Amino acid sequence: MAEIKEFKAESKRLLDMMIHSIYTHKEIFLRELISNASDAIDKYYLYALQNGQTPADLGIRIDLDETNRTLTISDNGIGMDEEELEDNLGTIAKSGSSAFKEEMKKKEEAENKEIDIIGQFGVGFYSAFMVADEVTVLSRKAGSEQAYCWKSDGINGYTLEPAEKEGRGTTIILKLKADDDMESYSEYLNSYMISDLVKKYSDYIRYPISMDVETQKMVEGTEDKETPEFETVKESKVLNSMTPLWKKPKSEITQEQFDQFYKEHFVDYRNPLETIFFKVEGNTSFTALLYIPSAIPQGFYTREYKPGLQLYSKGVFIENDCEELLPGYLRFVKGLVDSQDLSLNVSREMLQHDHQLRVIRNRIEKKVLSELSGLLKTDREKYEKFWKNFGLDLKFGVYNAMGRDNEKLENLLLFHSSAEKKPVTLEEYVSSMPEDQKDIYYISGQSIDVMDKMPIVNRLKSKGFQVLLLTEEVDEFVLQTIGAYKEHPFKNAAQGDLDLDTEEEKEALKNQNEEHKELLEFMKESIPGVSQVRLSNRLQDDPVMLVAGEGLSFEMEKVFQTMAAQSGEEMPPMKADRILEINPNNKIWNVLRTEYAVDKNRVKEISQVLYDQACLIEGFPIEDPIEYSRKVVALLSDFNE
């Protein structure tokens, strides 16, 4: 009877924590054991070369035994002797691979290649106890004739004794737990399930992972029959592809291969709009294969959508949606990152989200923005297609960063222009400004066509100034966050004084407002919704317009009203200061002046109709549409008499 050796107290506590707390998905035990097997083969490969041998037929084998409820994973790697089994498995978190890698760093290899070891054997190994009542490790070290057997139930310590084994390497036998109400451990005896898990987590392990798989095969001698006979047979099959696409040189990969990989791995039947593939060498080395989709992903604006990149460590799958690798405004980017240098804490499932991830994230951010900038310059049509799908995310990137990312993003923004009749960049807007234009003018609304007809837009266009026509709720917030572009402040054309008049025009307008002060004051008292009624040169042909005072703009008022309605909470109304401006060169002004001398009630009705018209132009609802309609009909009837 072999002596049962106790785990150290701290090891027992850590084992219990790992089994019950650390791993979110029990299925990753297979990833851990396969990764350890791959590490062991790596070690043997180097050992063989150093001893003048030629490594051949290296691989990993999985065997399932439903009758005895065992899952066995075997490798023909370096193997372990008694001392190494004691050190690596008797003390949890003792890292055989880490120690090996540290030793190799001290030796200058002739090829100057880093040893590719995932590490943490003594940690990942114990994930086996999540699914097994008993784990047996049979191992024979390369160059030794003696094998040893380590066995444990993960609770009452372990035994370690000499054993018999053909050939070098390690065999791990898991005696699976019985099924219960919470878990079906029998699924790990299903060859299809195991095949799927290998494909999911270990598809790019560099050595073949083989297993017997049931297939349908034609019975020999029945091929000429009208109905051939088939039988179920088991054949050994390699489960993994072994060579990741991103491990190949870019020159050896066609765009068709990139596109096919995208469609297969990121569930899209369309080719991506853009592919970004690059490698970084340095203190933190990694490879990134990124895609910009050609259409908005399904559910992109729902809570269920999970942004982030797939994360691999040396070809081993770690995490599916690693949000830490992308800033929020690039959440539309699909793809993966494979790093050689990630710090893995306790298990490969729990990453140290620290300096390494920040370095990778920063490099990815710079690369994607650089690619988008290049696309804007070299393929405007494709960039505008991208902008239609994901431009809103870049705008939110500016707004959410409160100005910190202005320099990164402002040159990528597009806004519709009243002059170009198409989206323009801020650089394009500024480069076409007349010399006497100081501000960048914009106006907000729901429809480009409607905004383009607005009185103030016509006035600005008459002076040769173009106007940015904003249609998204976030647009005005974005421009306010940027503040100014190349020392040209952004100015809401429907707010405050635009200072468009000459000194002579200003003086003449001032005199007119003073001369008709009594009439303008009467009109203001007739319209409770306005703070001021004034004559203005802001209008070109239209009789009136509504402008906002300094502070809150009309568009921001609408946004806050929408937010209050959506929240369902009672919030104090936030309203912009409303100023009604009258065109002194329009016929309606002459009517008002004439009527004021003979019928002030008529002036009151005309003023209210003009105010309602100005509200409609600005996209505000009028309080009483029926009364407005009656007043318009009555006034028309009076003028026709």
Side-chain angles (χ1 to χ4, degrees):
M1 183 75 177
E3 175 189 358
I4 297 178
K5 301 183 180 183
E6 290 291 329
F7 292 118
K8 292 183 179 179
E10 63 272 17
S11 297
K12 292 179 69 174
R13 288 194 297 270
L14 182 55
L15 176 58
D16 182 71
M17 182 180 71
M18 286 185 63
I19 294 174
H20 297 102
S21 304
I22 289 179
Y23 288 100
T24 308
H25 304 292
K26 288 181 169 58
E27 65 188 29
I28 57 85
F29 81 91
L30 190 65
R31 177 191 73 185
E32 297 298 300
L33 298 182
I34 289 175
S35 295
N36 289 337
S38 176
D39 292 348
I41 299 176
D42 281 342
K43 294 178 188 179
Y44 172 73
Y45 190 91
L46 184 63
Y47 165 87
L49 292 178
Q50 290 174 336
N51 287 274
Q53 302 172 17
T54 303
D57 299 325
L58 303 177
I60 301 166
R61 174 80 189 174
I62 300 175
D63 291 291
L64 308 177
D65 185 340
E66 293 184 58
T67 303
N68 295 309
R69 291 186 63 79
T70 61
L71 184 155
T72 302
I73 300 174
S74 307
D75 68 70
N76 54 2
I78 192 69
M80 290 176 282
D81 58 23
E82 182 177 20
E83 182 180 357
E84 288 169 329
L85 282 166
E86 182 81 50
D87 286 345
N88 292 339
L89 306 186
T91 303
I92 297 176
K94 168 69 175 180
S95 176
S97 294
S98 293
F100 173 77
K101 191 172 183 180
E102 189 63 34
E103 179 184 344
M104 289 301 102
K105 280 184 178 180
K106 297 176 183 177
K107 300 179 180 180
E108 200 59 34
E109 292 298 316
E111 297 144 53
N112 198 26
K113 289 184 179 178
E114 183 181 4
I115 306 304
D116 192 10
I117 300 295
I118 286 178
Q120 303 295 343
F121 185 101
V123 175
F125 166 77
Y126 275 88
S127 63
F129 286 103
M130 293 190 297
V131 299
D133 283 328
E134 182 181 81
V135 178
T136 301
V137 180
L138 182 62
S139 191
R140 174 178 163 184
K141 189 165 184 177
S144 172
E145 297 296 324
Q146 181 63 59
Y148 293 88
C149 180
W150 182 99
K151 184 179 294 188
S152 174
D153 60 4
I155 300 172
N156 300 311
Y158 61 93
T159 61
L160 180 58
E161 57 185 342
E164 297 293 326
K165 181 183 184 304
E166 282 191 27
R168 67 174 190 278
T170 299
T171 298
I172 300 177
I173 305 168
L174 309 185
K175 180 74 173 179
L176 296 181
K177 296 179 180 180
D179 297 341
D180 55 36
D181 293 337
M182 300 294 292
E183 295 285 346
S184 174
Y185 298 98
S186 297
E187 65 183 357
Y188 301 119
L189 296 171
N190 184 304
S191 61
Y192 296 105
M193 174 69 166
I194 297 300
S195 296
D196 288 343
L197 292 180
V198 169
K199 194 74 177 173
K200 178 179 180 181
Y201 291 109
S202 307
D203 195 39
Y204 303 121
I205 290 291
R206 73 179 77 184
Y207 306 107
I209 304 169
S210 59
M211 182 178 70
D212 287 343
V213 176
E214 289 185 351
T215 60
Q216 292 294 310
K217 192 173 183 180
M218 187 183 296
V219 177
E220 190 175 348
T222 68
E223 58 271 8
D224 295 330
K225 291 185 177 181
E226 184 176 342
T227 305
E229 298 176 15
F230 291 86
E231 60 181 343
T232 300
V233 298
K234 285 191 174 183
E235 292 183 344
S236 183
K237 178 183 176 183
V238 175
L239 307 178
N240 58 322
S241 62
M242 290 181 277
T243 305
L245 182 72
W246 63 89
K247 291 284 189 180
K248 299 178 180 179
K250 188 174 183 179
S251 59
E252 296 180 8
I253 309 173
T254 65
Q255 187 58 51
E256 289 75 18
Q257 289 174 315
F258 278 130
D259 292 346
Q260 188 62 30
F261 183 87
Y262 167 76
K263 289 187 283 190
E264 289 177 355
H265 285 74
F266 302 104
V267 196
D268 195 344
Y269 63 89
R270 295 157 294 219
N271 288 333
L273 183 73
E274 193 72 7
T275 302
I276 305 171
F277 180 49
F278 67 105
K279 298 183 180 182
V280 173
E281 300 290 341
N283 293 332
T284 300
S285 299
F286 67 92
T287 299
L289 176 54
L290 312 175
Y291 296 96
I292 297 176
S294 58
I296 298 173
Q298 186 175 3
F300 186 63
Y301 292 110
T302 67
R303 291 183 179 180
E304 288 72 29
Y305 180 79
K306 293 183 178 181
L309 302 176
Q310 291 182 353
L311 181 61
Y312 288 79
S313 178
K314 305 174 183 69
V316 177
F317 178 72
I318 303 298
E319 189 174 344
N320 198 37
D321 302 300
C322 187
E323 295 186 43
E324 289 80 2
L325 292 172
L326 286 173
Y329 67 85
L330 294 181
R331 68 196 193 101
F332 53 84
V333 175
K334 298 282 190 179
L336 59 88
V337 170
D338 189 352
S339 176
Q340 304 293 317
D341 304 305
L342 284 180
S343 297
L344 305 176
N345 183 18
V346 182
S347 81
R348 297 176 181 85
E349 192 178 47
M350 297 187 67
L351 292 170
Q352 294 177 345
H353 293 161
D354 56 8
H355 174 69
Q356 292 166 317
L357 285 185
R358 288 196 298 273
V359 169
I360 296 173
R361 171 192 169 113
N362 290 339
R363 293 299 295 267
I364 289 175
E365 180 182 26
K366 289 179 181 178
K367 183 64 174 179
V368 173
L369 294 181
S370 174
E371 292 289 327
L372 290 176
S373 179
L375 193 64
L376 176 59
K377 295 173 183 175
T378 61
D379 193 337
R380 184 60 172 259
E381 183 179 352
K382 184 184 283 191
Y383 186 83
E384 289 187 10
K385 183 178 180 182
F386 154 77
W387 181 259
K388 183 179 179 181
N389 291 330
F390 306 114
L392 190 61
D393 290 273
L394 298 193
K395 291 177 182 178
F396 274 110
V398 173
Y399 175 64
N400 291 334
M402 302 299 290
R404 293 189 304 275
D405 290 337
N406 285 359
E407 291 186 5
K408 296 179 184 177
L409 299 175
E410 61 186 10
N411 288 313
L412 294 173
L413 303 178
L414 293 181
F415 300 98
H416 202 89
S417 162
S418 63
E420 298 293 335
K421 306 299 182 185
K422 64 179 182 180
V424 299
T425 65
L426 297 178
E427 169 64 33
E428 290 166 345
Y429 180 102
V430 169
S431 64
S432 65
M433 287 170 54
E435 288 186 12
D436 60 337
Q437 183 179 346
K438 298 176 294 183
D439 300 327
I440 299 174
Y441 298 107
Y442 68 87
I443 195 165
S444 301
Q446 300 298 316
S447 165
I448 289 173
D449 291 337
V450 170
M451 283 189 286
D452 197 41
K453 298 174 185 176
M454 292 184 73
I456 186 55
V457 175
N458 289 330
R459 167 70 168 156
L460 289 167
K461 287 196 294 187
S462 73
K463 294 182 70 67
F465 300 161
Q466 65 176 312
V467 184
L468 298 179
L469 309 177
L470 311 183
T471 56
E472 303 282 357
E473 289 184 351
V474 74
D475 285 347
E476 193 168 334
F477 293 100
V478 169
L479 296 188
Q480 290 186 1
T481 300
I482 297 174
Y485 181 78
K486 293 191 174 180
E487 301 182 354
H488 295 284
F490 292 101
K491 180 66 178 176
N492 189 333
Q495 186 174 17
D497 184 8
L498 300 187
D499 194 22
L500 298 175
D501 299 335
T502 64
E503 292 302 320
E504 292 78 8
E505 289 172 332
K506 290 178 183 177
E507 186 64 26
L509 187 64
K510 179 181 178 182
N511 293 335
Q512 282 183 296
N513 274 298
E514 189 63 33
E515 179 185 353
H516 301 290
K517 182 177 181 181
E518 185 179 327
L519 169 56
L520 296 171
E521 189 64 29
F522 178 81
M523 292 178 67
K524 173 195 167 187
E525 292 173 1
S526 302
I527 312 169
V530 301
S531 63
Q532 184 182 358
V533 177
R534 67 192 182 198
L535 298 174
S536 171
N537 290 332
R538 193 191 305 248
L539 293 148
Q540 183 74 10
D541 301 313
D542 299 271
V544 293
M545 72 173 291
L546 206 59
V547 299
E550 298 296 339
L552 195 68
S553 69
F554 290 147
E555 190 60 26
M556 292 177 73
E557 175 187 325
K558 296 171 190 174
V559 170
F560 287 129
Q561 287 177 348
T562 302
M563 291 170 59
Q566 290 175 345
S567 69
E569 299 179 5
E570 288 192 14
M571 301 173 64
M574 299 183 68
K575 300 196 73 172
D577 182 30
R578 302 189 182 195
I579 301 170
L580 184 67
E581 293 193 344
I582 311 292
N583 185 352
N585 300 314
N586 190 278
K587 292 180 181 179
I588 195 66
W589 175 239
N590 293 329
V591 172
L592 287 166
R593 290 166 57 193
T594 302
E595 291 295 321
Y596 186 66
V598 296
D599 190 346
K600 289 185 172 60
N601 189 56
R602 177 69 59 83
V603 172
K604 180 178 180 180
E605 290 181 345
I606 294 173
S607 299
Q608 291 171 346
V609 167
L610 289 174
Y611 173 69
D612 283 343
Q613 287 179 336
C615 286
L616 290 172
I617 291 172
E618 281 297 329
F620 287 113
I622 55 179
E623 292 186 7
D624 193 340
I626 296 175
E627 183 64 20
Y628 166 74
S629 178
R630 288 172 177 169
K631 286 178 181 177
V632 170
V633 172
L635 289 172
L636 288 173
S637 299
D638 289 344
F639 285 123
N640 288 331
E641 291 178 357

